Every structure is written in C-alpha cells, then in structure tokens.
Amino acid sequence: MNNNLALECRNITKTFGRVYANKNCSLDVKKGEILAILGENGSGKTTLMNMVAGIYFPDSGKIFVNGQEVLIRSPKDAFEQKIGMIHQHFKLVDVFSAVENIALGVDDGNKYKLSNITKKVIEITQRYGFIIDPEKKIYDMSVSEKQTVEIIKVLYRGADILILDEPTAVLTPQETEKLFAVLRRMREDGKSIIIITHKMHEVLSISDRVAVLRKGEHVSTVNTAETNETELTEMMMGEKISLDITRSEPVNSVPRLEVKNITSFNEEGRKVLDDISFTAYSGEILGIAGIAGSGQRELLESIAGLHNLAEGEITYFDPITNNIENLRDKTPLQIRDLGVRLSFVPEDRLGMGLVGNMDIIDNMMLRSYTKGKSAFLERKEPKDLADKIIKDLNVATPGATTPVRQLSGGNVQKVLVGREIASSPSVLMAAYPVRGLDVNASYTIYNLLNEQKVSGVAVIFVGEDLDVLLELCDRILVINSGKITGIVDGRTAKKEEIGLLMVKSTETEGEEK
Amino acid sequence: MLAFIVSAIRLGMTLLFGSTGETITEKSGHLNLGIPGIMCVGASCGCYAEYIYIDSVVSKGLEINSILAVLIPVLATLIGGAIMGVLFSFLTVTLHANQNVTGLAITTLGVGISDYMIDKTDLIYIRGAAYFKASLPFASKLGWFGEVFFSHGVLVYLAIIIAVVTSFILNRTRIGLHLRAVGENPATADAAGINVSLYRYVATSIGCGIAGLGGLSFIMDYLNGNWEYVIDDIGWLAIALVIFTVWKPNFAIIGSIIFGGLYIASSYITGVSFAGKELFKMLPYIVTIIVLIFTSMRSKKKNQPPQSLGLPYFREER
C-alpha cells in the first residue's frame, strides 16, 4: 500500500436505473496535491465524487482513505474520514451569519459559544488567506463569499481531502484567481484537493495531475506538466461514434431569424450572454453545443421573449407575410403567434411547458384556449390533436385523458415536442429534447426534427451529445461562457474541434477592468 | 383601567403559551394550524386530571394538596398536547401529509375531543381553578403595582419563563441553531448531519405541549374554571400572534399583552353595541394583517418566517 495516497477509489460502479453513471472507476489522490477531474457533461464526475462524500452509495467497488478501506454511507461518515465536499449548489442557511453556518451540525463537545467559533474561523481565514466577514449574513453575500463560507465550513470540520464541484462556474476571473491562490496554500499545508471542472485552462494552471472521465469510465490520469489541451480534449471526447441519423441537404434556405449582438445579464448581474450574433435559416437544423450552463437556456429564452436583453436585436423574417419583425418589442405571446416556438426540456422535464396533473388534452389546450369562440372551452380540437400526437408519435398512454405525470419521461417529451410541432411553427427551438430518452425514443424525436426541417422550418437544436449534434445538424454553433466561440459545418467538423471550442478559454479578451 | 390591564395580561399570557409553542413548532418548519384544537385537548386533559385528582382525594376524605392540584393538571396538559404534536408529526413527517390540511384536521379533532371529555356544567373545575389563581400574599399590599405584577396565578409566570427560556435556547444554544436550520433549510441541515425528522418530531411535540398549557391557562386562570367560552378562538389568535411578533418569543411577551388588550377592549369601553364588540375582537387580526403587509413590503430577510415553513422534506428530492 502506498502511504502517500490520501484517497483511493477502486473499481467503483454506480447505476441509476439501467444507466451506468460510473463503471469500474478507479482514481487516486496523493497527499498534498491538486487533482483535476475533467469530463463532459454526464461523464460521471460529480456522481463519483458524491460517493466519496457520502451522498450516494456505490453499487460496487471500494474506497480507501489513507490506505484503510472505509465505508462511507452518509455525509457524516465522510466528515469522519476528513473528507469535505463543496457542492455546486451551496448548502447554506440564508438568514444565518457565516459563523452560524460554519458551526452548524458540528458538536465538538465544547460549550456552544459563537465568539469562540468566530475566533477559530478567523484563525482558518488567516492561515489560508480568505477574505470574509464572519458576522455577515449569507443573504448579504456575493456568490464568491458564499463559496468561501462553504470552504471554511469544510476546513472547520478538519477536512484533509477537499472536493470542489465546478467551483469556478459561478466566479469571475479575478475571484477564480483568488480561489486558486487559496487552494495552492492549502496544498502547501498538505491537504489533498480534488477539483471538478470543464475549463481547460484552469486544469492546466492549477492541477498537479488530471483524471479524465468519459461516459462514466476513467480514461486515464496524467501529469499536468506532461500534457496539453489537445491531448486532454481527445481523451475527454473519445472516438467518434456513428449513429446513422438521416440528414438531408437543406433546400431553399433563406434567413429566418437573425440574432445580432445580444448581451444579457442574470439576476446576480453576471453576463450570461455576451455579444451573440448568428442567423438561422429555414430548412436547416442549427445545432447549439456547449458545456451545460454556458448560456443556451438564456439564448433560447431571449428569442422566445422570456429573457430580458441588455443590448442587441433579434429580427424575424416572416415567411407568410414577408414582413420583417423585431422580436425584442414583442411579448412572448406575440412571438409565439408569429410561429416561433420553444420546446425546452429542463432537467426535471415537467418543469416547463406541461402541467403534470392535467391530461394530454388539457395540456394541448394550454396553447390554444385563447382561440376558442364561445365562452366555454372547446374540447374537440385539442382532443383531435392529442389523439393525432398519440398515434403519430406512438405515445404509450392508456388514453388522451391520462394525466401527463403518469407517462414515462420519453412519452412526456413526445407530447411536449409534438404539441409545439403541431402548431406548424416557422422556427422550432428544441432544447435537450432527448434528455433521458432511450435510443428508440431519441430517434423518433430526431425524425420529427428532420421532418420539420424538410418542410422548411428553421430548427434550432440544443443538445448535449456531440455525436448526435454532428450527425443531425447542418451547422453547429458553439457557445462557451455566454460567447460564441465558433460556428462550424456539421458535415465536416471534427468532434475534437467542437470540444476545443467548448472548453477553450474565453476570458482573455473579455476581461473587465 | 387597572382591571383592564390585569385582564389583558391574563389573557395575554394564555396567548403567550400558544404562540411560544407555535413558534417552536414553526422554527422546525412545521406550520401547525392545529393549535386551536391542541389547546382544547390540553385544557381538557388538564381539567380531566384535576377532576380525577380532586374527586379521588375528596372521596377518601383527604386534604387537597395545593401544589399537586396545579402540578398534576399541568403535566397532564403537557402530555396531552405532546401526543397531538406526535400525531401531527407522524402525519406530516412520516406519512408526508399536507401540513395545512393536517393542522385543520387536528383542530377539528381537538375541539371534538374536548367536547367529549368535558362536562361543561361541572362545577369541580371552578374549585380546581382556585389553586391556579393562588397569588403571592403580599400582592394586595402593593397597590396598583402589586395588582399588575404580582396578583396573578402561577401559570402567568410560567408563560413568561417559558417564553424567555425558549428565546434563549433558540438564539444561544447549539440545539436552537440546529432547530432554526431545520426550519430554514432542511436540506442544508441534513447535509450537516442533523436529523431533520427527529428535530421536527421533538420540536413539534414540545411546542404542542406548551400550546396545550395555553388552553389550560385560559380555562383555569382567565375563566376561573368556567367552560363558557370556546378555546379555539384563542388558538387562532395565538397563531396570529406568532406572525405579529415575527417569530420571536421574547417579543411575544409584550405582543401577547397587546393582543389580549385588543381582544377584550370592547368589554371595557362603554356604549358599544353587541355587534360593535365583535368588530373589536377582530382588531388583533387586522393588526396582524398590517404587520404582514409591512414585513413583506420591507422584505427584510431578518423578520421573515422560516424559509421552508409549511414545506415537507424528503431527502430523495434534493
């Protein structure tokens, strides 16, 4: 046994239903080193680390801490092994001060006295160079301060192994630098740090070694000094897989939607869309590729009128009236009536677009009830539509009056996409329409999108799987931290090329101040 | 005027039990609308215990011990209230029932139980009330000062002690910190290794036990053992008081007296018609609505209800 290892995972497997989140993953971290875990969305990085932190329990495999085999069944067990994880979503009580949050759940046998805890917290902050006011309430804090509290919380509990899940996703470049400085100081102090990230330049700048995961499996661990961006991307993306999705040549392509220099901020004032411009043509599928949370959602919502823009124009060329419309002045309803349709499948699937407790017919009516002629609801048309969707898309349901929430995920998505298509749109935006679907159901959706494309609709497809994007889309737009890093041809582009565009650093030119 | 203040304090302390109990419950994230029913059950258990005690002692021809005559009903009330709290927690925590519906059901159940248990015409309660009303001997010698501060029965002081202790525990101890975390953000508390279900069960049961004392205090102290008024009115007032005092038991000591005063004001103002009196009784609720408007308008995070108040917590859903 190598005494130098702080943590070792051996042949860890974890399944969710039939899907492998991790398959025979092996990984080790030395004492006093920073290990970066790199991988695409859904490559099992977070799941693996959640097992180390006690959130999930592995189906098989062993975890060793300091050479001893351990069972980690809960976050508490993890703390006893001196493992602490800083999650992407902070687990802090808003109305508590920093110190109160840090003290939460710690019973060290001493008398509970906030002033003593504060003293200890200040000791930690001084040792590692954190900048934080221990008395400040969480609701008054910025994201970066909250993250600092999370890290101190873990250190306060005496963690020697720190796991950070995409810590820089919410930080500005300056804040990231500060965080890295702190992490380096911790490394000097002998702590082991595991950092999960998508961002290549961060991997290269902070880590000692990089472990690459792909589709739940551990590809390889390399020394950072001996590798480079291209090699890592290749490991991350893997070989191209042929999927056999039919793709026809676009016919009669005319500009349908033009997005010009749009910029937008989120609630916290962070830039989520940065000077984005592109044109969507009729009769083509425009794919959007990017790491999760790079601004895909905001982009689509901006077009649909659901997201406020700070700057920029969105122009729509109406194929029927040949009018040129400016979508920025329009309400979401008007935009929809123009034929711009959005079907967004969020992570929880039902969250947007469908009402779970209502049946298929009623969900159809959500889009059409304003068009009724009498004071009462017209049920005939939506019922016909529901029956048609069930028949055409093979929705497995006992009937049109079954509540949507009782359908399986794939069938819910068919209903959602089917409804948007049924309105014969001229622009169809489908975000993650195959999320969580099995292969056959996915192909049904691809075929639907292809049919729309052939009939002259401008289809915008946001997808997670690069293989699918490369086979389905005519052009692929790559978005990275709210910026477009490239628009490539779906027929000729290489997977690695898109992968690089997805992760390459964008901050060099965009840095403020 | 003096009689009004004394009366307001007495009713206020009844409310204080209810609101302290409800505050403890709400801090754990449980919105318990069963407080009126729980007060009924508490009062009934207490009175019934008093009835058994006095009856058995008198039938044997023994002397009634004035300490036991208070202690036995108080313990019976605490147990009765706590059992209702366990029932509420069982339904909401273990069976994941909706808290509002469960609370209203508990209110209905509690009123029914009390109607079943108590013979409202029985005069034995008035006899028992005498022990609760026993005040310090020097109170009458201190004029208005003694009247306001020392003329009350033991439950009035108990209410204040409980409120102060609760306030201390909530804000100054580790248990309080954990309890508040459970009510604010159970997922965070869970991740920190706090047993959310246990905290909710225990806090709700203790809270309900204390709230039950409010019912007992209303009957034995405020009404001198008469079951002439319905208790559940007071229960709703106690819930409103929790909001009025922005979830702070120490504020509630003053707040409860204000509420008590507003509630009985009509009886002390001459020339008010019967309908007018009912209007007066609404005052506490109107004040509560105004407080709600102000706290939500200023949107100060400090004076808000616990963030996950009324929300169930299932670990799988995180």
Side-chain angles (χ1 to χ4, degrees), chain B residues 140-265:
Chain B
S140 51
K141 294 177 196 137
L142 292 171
W144 66 268
F145 186 79
E147 185 84 351
V148 171
F149 291 103
F150 298 113
S151 71
H152 311 290
V154 59
L155 285 181
V156 169
Y157 303 106
L158 185 63
I160 295 173
I161 292 167
I162 288 178
V164 172
V165 169
T166 303
S167 186
F168 177 82
I169 289 176
L170 281 178
N171 296 315
R172 292 264 184 278
T173 65
R174 191 170 281 137
I175 291 173
L177 182 76
H178 290 185
L179 178 61
R180 283 186 291 141
V182 166
E184 291 288 343
N185 195 335
T188 299
D190 195 21
I194 296 166
N195 187 336
V196 173
S197 299
L198 182 72
Y199 264 88
R200 288 198 162 175
Y201 258 97
V202 172
T204 306
S205 304
I206 293 174
C208 287
I210 293 171
L213 286 179
L216 185 71
S217 151
F218 184 63
I219 299 294
M220 289 307 211
D221 193 283
Y222 186 71
L223 294 178
N224 306 318
N226 269 317
W227 276 84
E228 54 188 324
Y229 290 108
V230 277
I231 304 174
D232 38 331
D233 255 16
I234 301 300
W236 297 120
L237 212 53
I239 294 176
L241 183 61
V242 175
I243 301 165
F244 178 71
T245 57
V246 290
W247 292 266
K248 290 189 173 65
N250 46 352
F251 281 21
I253 298 171
I254 304 298
S256 62
I257 297 171
I258 297 173
F259 261 43
L262 288 172
Y263 193 70
I264 55 169

Side-chain angles (χ1 to χ4, degrees), chain A residues 55 75-76 79 91-96 100-101 103-112 139 153 157, chain B residues 171-174 176-178 180-181 184-185 187-194 300-302 304 307 315 318:
Chain A
I55 308 271
K76 223 176 175 173
F79 278 127
K91 292 194 184 294
L92 295 171
V93 180
D94 253 3
V95 293
F96 285 10
E100 281 177 311
N101 265 296
L104 194 65
V106 185
D107 196 346
D108 48 9
N110 294 335
K111 207 169 149 264
Y112 174 77
Y139 56 75
K153 198 163 107 182
R157 288 171 174 231
Chain B
N171 296 315
R172 292 264 184 278
T173 65
R174 191 170 281 137
L177 182 76
H178 290 185
R180 283 186 291 141
E184 291 288 343
N185 195 335
T188 299
D190 195 21
I194 296 166
K300 234 173 106 182
K301 290 242 182 175
K302 243 166 124 185
Q304 295 299 317
Q307 212 170 24
R315 179 182 281 191
R318 73 170 129 212

Side-chain angles (χ1 to χ4, degrees), chain A residues 99-364:
Chain A
V99 182
E100 281 177 311
N101 265 296
I102 291 164
L104 194 65
V106 185
D107 196 346
D108 48 9
N110 294 335
K111 207 169 149 264
Y112 174 77
K113 218 172 156 204
L114 274 182
S115 56
N116 290 348
I117 299 166
T118 311
K119 231 181 269 165
K120 230 176 131 185
V121 168
I122 290 172
E123 259 173 46
I124 295 173
T125 54
Q126 283 169 351
R127 187 154 164 204
Y128 298 110
F130 292 106
I131 301 152
I132 194 94
D133 172 9
E135 312 286 340
K136 201 167 174 183
K137 300 269 192 210
I138 300 296
Y139 56 75
D140 284 330
M141 286 187 180
S142 70
V143 186
S144 130
E145 284 175 297
K146 286 181 193 173
Q147 188 178 55
T148 309
V149 176
E150 282 280 13
I151 297 173
I152 299 174
K153 198 163 107 182
V154 170
L155 290 173
Y156 181 81
R157 288 171 174 231
D160 285 333
I161 303 168
L162 280 91
I163 305 167
L164 294 102
D165 190 359
E166 293 187 35
T168 57
V170 291
L171 301 182
T172 65
Q174 291 87 342
E175 288 168 338
T176 304
E177 266 319 303
K178 269 185 219 155
L179 172 70
F180 283 0
V182 168
L183 292 183
R184 289 194 187 104
R185 229 160 290 159
M186 285 182 199
R187 173 176 60 187
E188 281 155 29
D189 204 41
K191 309 237 181 239
S192 306
I193 293 158
I194 304 175
I195 174 166
I196 300 176
T197 181
H198 293 304
K199 297 182 186 166
M200 198 63 75
H201 67 283
E202 292 177 1
V203 172
L204 295 172
S205 80
I206 182 109
S207 68
D208 298 311
R209 290 190 304 152
V210 194
V212 182
L213 298 192
R214 189 200 317 142
K215 305 233 152 92
E217 291 179 69
H218 176 233
V219 182
S220 160
T221 303
V222 290
N223 288 330
T224 312
E226 295 159 15
T227 188
N228 57 47
E229 212 161 314
T230 325
E231 191 193 11
L232 287 175
T233 314
E234 265 165 32
M235 280 199 273
M236 198 168 130
M237 298 297 164
E239 293 290 305
K240 189 177 181 310
I241 306 154
S242 185
L243 294 166
D244 276 334
I245 302 171
T246 45
R247 173 163 55 189
S248 55
E249 287 294 324
V251 278
N252 296 333
S253 270
V254 289
R256 182 61 56 80
L257 190 74
E258 196 182 350
V259 173
K260 229 189 255 167
N261 308 96
I262 60 171
T263 297
S264 158
F265 297 89
N266 70 359
E267 283 158 10
E268 281 130 31
R270 220 160 50 87
K271 231 180 219 181
V272 281
L273 295 178
D274 193 351
D275 197 19
I276 287 196
S277 305
F278 66 91
T279 310
Y281 296 90
S282 66
E284 71 154 14
I285 298 183
L286 173 68
I288 297 183
I291 301 289
S294 297
Q296 298 97 317
R297 183 186 188 134
E298 288 81 4
L299 177 60
L300 297 198
E301 286 188 352
S302 304
I303 297 171
L306 300 169
H307 192 88
N308 282 332
L309 291 178
E311 281 164 47
E313 295 293 327
I314 300 172
T315 323
Y316 172 68
F317 305 96
D318 197 318
I320 303 156
T321 59
N322 286 323
N323 286 344
I324 296 170
E325 311 268 2
N326 182 359
L327 293 189
R328 258 193 87 177
D329 317 328
K330 301 238 179 323
T331 65
L333 207 66
Q334 287 170 324
I335 294 174
R336 233 181 57 207
D337 289 343
L338 282 172
V340 179
R341 294 297 177 130
L342 171 65
S343 89
F344 189 96
V345 180
E347 272 143 21
D348 55 353
R349 288 196 192 142
L350 276 177
M352 200 164 154
L354 296 177
V355 180
N357 280 335
M358 295 193 340
D359 64 27
I360 302 176
I361 302 176
D362 286 350
N363 270 299
M364 296 299 137

Side-chain angles (χ1 to χ4, degrees), chain A residues 395-413:
Chain A
V395 180
T397 168
T401 50
T402 309
V404 169
R405 96 187 120 76
Q406 287 177 12
L407 305 182
S408 76
N411 289 307
V412 170
Q413 270 150 270

Side-chain angles (χ1 to χ4, degrees), chain A residues 417-467:
Chain A
V417 178
R419 183 183 66 189
E420 300 309 326
I421 290 173
S423 59
S424 52
S426 56
V427 175
L428 177 67
M429 296 183 281
Y432 313 114
V434 296
R435 194 171 243 169
L437 295 193
D438 61 38
V439 181
N440 286 331
S442 304
Y443 276 86
T444 315
I445 302 277
Y446 301 146
N447 288 338
L448 275 175
L449 295 176
N450 264 325
E451 277 168 33
Q452 292 298 307
K453 164 186 164 183
V454 171
S455 64
V457 174
V459 180
I460 299 175
F461 172 80
V462 180
E464 288 170 312
D465 193 332
L466 282 186
D467 290 318

